[in-house]
């Protein structure tokens, strides 16, 4: 649809556009299977055939496999385009409904073409100019989104006509390049060069802060599919051993557990609203993941959530659910604004109390969180978004140390269930004190994480009983393990209330803390 009108916007079905995008993305599975079949065929030929003809056949199969796999990023991109269009239509329809409600409250009527008129049955209508402007704004948002989607799909169609062929782009960002420099490098590439990099160097593209969200998502989805295929192949090899030895059995269980985690992640990437974007993936060890709900590059409000102790790749769906609840509450409070929420689990979270008693892992994470937030700023399109960073439990220490030692590209910081943030006062965190927020449930055990003297700390770090962590009194009652309680007004920030719910209840639907977090994200 071109030149979106009032009736068209009322009738528009965002869910239909989302479903169309998901259908395109769903084709990546068959593409990957066909590519695997071609690779298997080539392997079998190499094992039983030699000579010039064999070399030529192998090259041809390799070429066919390359042509098949080159389609996958475009399928993901089509899904992104249609999902972004759907998201814009949701916001535009909400703004339209709000404008019509304002008209009704003002004694005005909106006709079927979007014209605003005085309702003769209503006394003393107010000036209709504000309502007309709101209606026009909703239609302009939908029209701009429609045109952008059409342009991007046209470009994809043109690229398909060339067979996705492109020579490798010259140069790569220097090691340690800032996100702003990475963004400048990426902007200088042609669309064909960018697609070549996504398809041939997904590990580079998927991990670079400063590369736009859409490209990182495409690259990391390819990496996820490749890693899953590797694990499936390893499982087949292990199962072929009859009977498997004890070491093979242990490895088989580990492979099965990681496959289950990746399958859950894959399912969330393929389903659910808003669309998920995979911005980082490292399946090694306990695993790391950075995942967004909604597109941060086009959102008005962006939340980055840093979870705490024991969080790993297998915990990502649950942690992502917490970010989703804040985003859902934001949508309820402000349906006319586009939001995005990011789960940032790109650090080695402590697994044990003895590890959590040290700030070392939080300090190690600070630089990466700093770069990620700088990257969000560098790749955002349009007016700057309001960026909020939320830390829970040990994650609040990660956020606090990153803000104090590196600086964070953030408009607001939030801490819930915090053992201290590595600072004595909100003024140390690099954002206005009025934008430093915290909440602590009255029954959160973290309130008992009191500081100890140096001897006690050394005992704890060596292997202390739980009593060494909990219950050590301090002189003021406001000192926690890692500094002044940020939920104490004396810290200098602001506090929002929380109901009872222990250490993990902040995201429960009836907890006022959920409203508090959403209002901070919205800046209200």
């Amino acid at each position: 649809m071109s030149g979106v009108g009032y009736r068209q916007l009322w009738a528009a079905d965002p869910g239909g556009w989302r479903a169309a995008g998901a259908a395109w993305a769903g084709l990546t599975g068959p593409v990957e299977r066909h590519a695997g079949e071609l690779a298997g065929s080539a392997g079998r030929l190499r094992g039983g055939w030699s000579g010039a003809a064999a070399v030529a056949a192998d090259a041809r199969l390799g070429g066919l496999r390359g042509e098949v796999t080159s389609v996958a990023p475009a399928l993901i991109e089509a899904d992104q385009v249609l999902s972004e269009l759907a998201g814009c239509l949701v916001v535009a329809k909400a703004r339209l409904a709000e404008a019509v409600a304002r008209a009704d409250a003002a004694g005005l009527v909106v006709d079927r073409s979007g014209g605003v008129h005085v309702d003769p049955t209503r006394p003393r209508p107010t000036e209709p100019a504000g309502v007309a402007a709101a209606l026009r704004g909703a239609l302009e948002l939908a029209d701009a989104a429609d045109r952008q989607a059409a342009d991007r799909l046209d470009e994809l169609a043109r690229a398909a006509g060339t067979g996705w062929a492109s020579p490798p782009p010259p140069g790569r960002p220097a090691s340690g390049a800032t996100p702003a420099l990475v963004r400048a490098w990426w902007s200088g590439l042609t669309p064909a060069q960018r697609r070549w990099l996504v398809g041939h160097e997904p590990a580079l593209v998927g991990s670079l802060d400063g590369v736009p969200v859409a490209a990182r998502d495409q690259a990391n989805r390819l990496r996820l599919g490749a890693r899953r295929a590797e694990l499936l192949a390893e499982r087949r090899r292990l199962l072929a051993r009859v009977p498997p030895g004890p070491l093979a059995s242990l490895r088989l269980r580990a492979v099965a557990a990681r496959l289950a985690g990746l399958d859950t992640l894959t399912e969330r990437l393929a389903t659910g609203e808003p669309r998920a974007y995979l911005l980082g993936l490292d399946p090694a060890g306990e695993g790391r993941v950075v995942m967004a709900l909604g597109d941060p590059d086009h959102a008005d409000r962006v939340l980055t959530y840093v979870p705490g102790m024991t969080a790993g790749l297998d915990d990502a769906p649950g942690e992502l659910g917490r970010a989703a609840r804040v985003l859902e509450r934001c949508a309820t409070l402000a349906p006319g604004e586009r939001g995005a929420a990011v789960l940032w689990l790109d650090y080695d979270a402590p697994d044990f109390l003895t590890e959590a008693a040290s700030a070392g892992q939080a300090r190690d994470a600070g630089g990466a969180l700093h770069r990620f937030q700088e990257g969000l700023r560098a790749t955002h399109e349009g007016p700057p978004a309001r960026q909020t960073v939320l830390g829970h439990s040990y994650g609040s220490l990660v956020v606090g140390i990153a803000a104090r030692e590196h600086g964070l590209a953030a408009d607001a910081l939030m801490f819930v269930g915090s053992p201290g943030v590595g600072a004595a006062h909100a003024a140390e965190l690099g954002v206005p004190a009025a934008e430093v927020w915290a909440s602590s449930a009255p029954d959160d055990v973290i309130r008992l994480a009191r500081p100890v003297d140096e001897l006690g700390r050394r005992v704890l770090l060596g292997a202390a009983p739980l009593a060494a962590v909990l219950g050590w009194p301090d002189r003021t009652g406001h000192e926690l393990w890692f500094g002044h309680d940020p939920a104490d007004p004396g810290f200098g920030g602001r506090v929002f209330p929380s109901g009872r719910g222990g250490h993990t209840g902040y995201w429960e639907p009836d907890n006022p803390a959920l409203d508090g977090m959403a209002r901070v994200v919205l800046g209200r």
Side-chain angles (χ1 to χ4, degrees):
M1 53 188 181
S2 178
V4 178
Y6 178 80
R7 280 182 289 183
Q8 285 177 299
L9 183 53
W10 269 122
D13 176 19
W17 291 110
R18 285 199 185 98
W24 281 104
L27 295 175
T28 57
V31 164
E32 290 169 356
R33 285 195 296 274
H34 288 313
E37 291 166 0
L38 287 169
S41 298
R44 289 189 294 273
L45 283 174
R46 283 193 296 271
W49 190 17
S50 62
V55 171
D58 186 59
R60 180 56 181 153
L61 284 172
L64 286 173
R65 183 172 181 269
E67 290 176 19
V68 169
T69 55
S70 68
V71 175
L75 297 174
I76 299 170
E77 187 172 349
D79 174 34
Q80 291 171 337
V81 171
L82 295 176
S83 294
E84 289 166 18
L85 172 61
C88 280
L89 290 177
V90 168
V91 172
K93 287 171 72 72
R95 293 182 185 179
L96 192 69
E98 182 182 3
V100 171
R102 285 172 54 192
D104 182 68
L108 305 169
V109 292
V110 181
D111 63 31
R112 296 181 65 185
S113 64
V116 182
H117 309 283
V118 172
D119 184 348
T121 66
R122 303 276 293 276
R124 297 191 206 172
T126 58
E127 174 60 39
V131 173
L135 288 169
R136 187 166 56 252
L139 297 176
E140 288 173 352
L141 173 62
D143 189 53
D146 178 62
R147 291 177 185 276
Q148 184 181 49
D151 289 345
R152 290 178 64 186
L153 291 174
D154 283 346
E155 199 278 324
L156 267 178
R158 288 193 298 271
T162 67
W164 313 106
S166 172
R172 302 291 184 272
S175 176
T178 66
L181 288 175
V182 171
R183 178 65 171 131
W185 164 74
W186 187 262
S187 297
L189 301 175
T190 66
Q193 289 173 328
R194 295 170 189 164
R195 290 194 185 97
W196 189 95
L197 283 166
V198 168
H200 292 81
E201 299 183 19
L204 172 72
V205 175
S207 62
L208 274 179
D209 295 314
V211 169
V213 162
R216 292 183 71 169
D217 176 55
Q218 294 165 26
N220 284 313
R221 285 174 182 250
L222 296 181
R223 294 177 67 204
L224 175 62
R227 179 55 179 159
R228 187 175 179 278
E230 291 170 0
L231 289 170
L232 286 170
E234 183 178 1
R235 185 174 68 178
R236 285 193 295 270
R237 289 194 299 271
L238 291 168
L239 289 172
R241 301 177 183 179
V242 182
L247 291 178
S249 296
L250 286 173
R251 179 58 187 162
L252 188 58
R253 285 196 290 271
V255 168
R258 181 45 46 91
L259 268 173
L262 292 184
D263 285 345
T264 302
L265 191 61
T266 301
E267 182 180 0
R268 179 57 188 89
L269 286 167
T271 60
E273 297 179 13
R275 186 188 189 278
Y277 292 77
L278 188 57
L279 306 185
L281 177 68
D282 181 1
E286 294 180 355
R288 301 183 182 192
V289 65
V290 181
M291 197 166 171
L293 298 176
D295 181 3
D297 283 351
H298 296 93
D300 303 308
R301 306 285 186 267
V302 180
L303 169 68
T304 300
Y305 164 53
V306 182
M309 184 177 166
T310 73
L313 183 59
D314 295 340
D315 305 296
E319 297 291 359
L320 194 67
R322 292 177 173 179
R325 290 186 199 113
V326 180
L327 194 60
E328 290 164 3
R329 190 58 55 92
C330 287
T332 300
L333 295 173
E337 295 190 21
R338 294 191 67 183
V342 181
L343 167 64
W344 190 86
L345 184 45
D346 195 15
Y347 83 105
D348 180 21
D351 291 318
F352 306 103
L353 279 173
T354 50
E355 292 178 337
S358 166
Q361 284 160 274
R363 188 160 284 111
D364 291 343
L369 181 57
H370 162 79
R371 287 190 300 274
F372 179 75
Q373 287 298 120
E374 291 290 329
L376 289 182
R377 282 276 195 241
T379 60
H380 190 270
E381 297 184 15
R386 175 176 169 83
Q387 304 273 8
T388 302
V389 183
L390 163 67
H392 173 239
S393 191
Y394 193 86
S396 69
L397 180 64
V398 174
V399 174
I401 287 180
R404 184 169 60 84
E405 297 187 359
H406 301 274
L408 286 178
D411 300 286
L413 303 178
M414 273 195 292
F415 309 110
V416 295
S418 176
V421 300
H425 195 275
E428 300 175 24
L429 299 178
V431 300
E435 290 286 12
V436 176
W437 296 81
S439 186
S440 183
D443 58 343
D444 191 337
V445 69
I446 206 72
R447 288 172 171 260
L448 302 177
R450 299 301 183 188
V452 298
D453 58 24
E454 183 60 24
L455 177 61
R457 185 179 294 269
R458 289 177 180 175
V459 170
L460 174 65
L461 292 175
L466 182 62
V469 183
L470 306 178
W472 283 74
D474 68 274
R475 295 177 182 175
T476 66
H478 301 302
E479 289 298 315
L480 298 177
W481 189 261
F482 293 111
H484 199 122
D485 182 358
D488 170 47
F491 184 71
R494 300 170 74 178
V495 179
F496 56 90
S498 173
R500 300 180 69 84
H503 192 52
T504 60
Y506 297 96
W507 292 268
E508 292 301 318
D510 59 349
N511 193 328
L514 183 58
D515 257 6
M517 288 185 278
R519 292 184 184 280
V520 173
V521 172
L522 294 169
R524 298 185 173 185

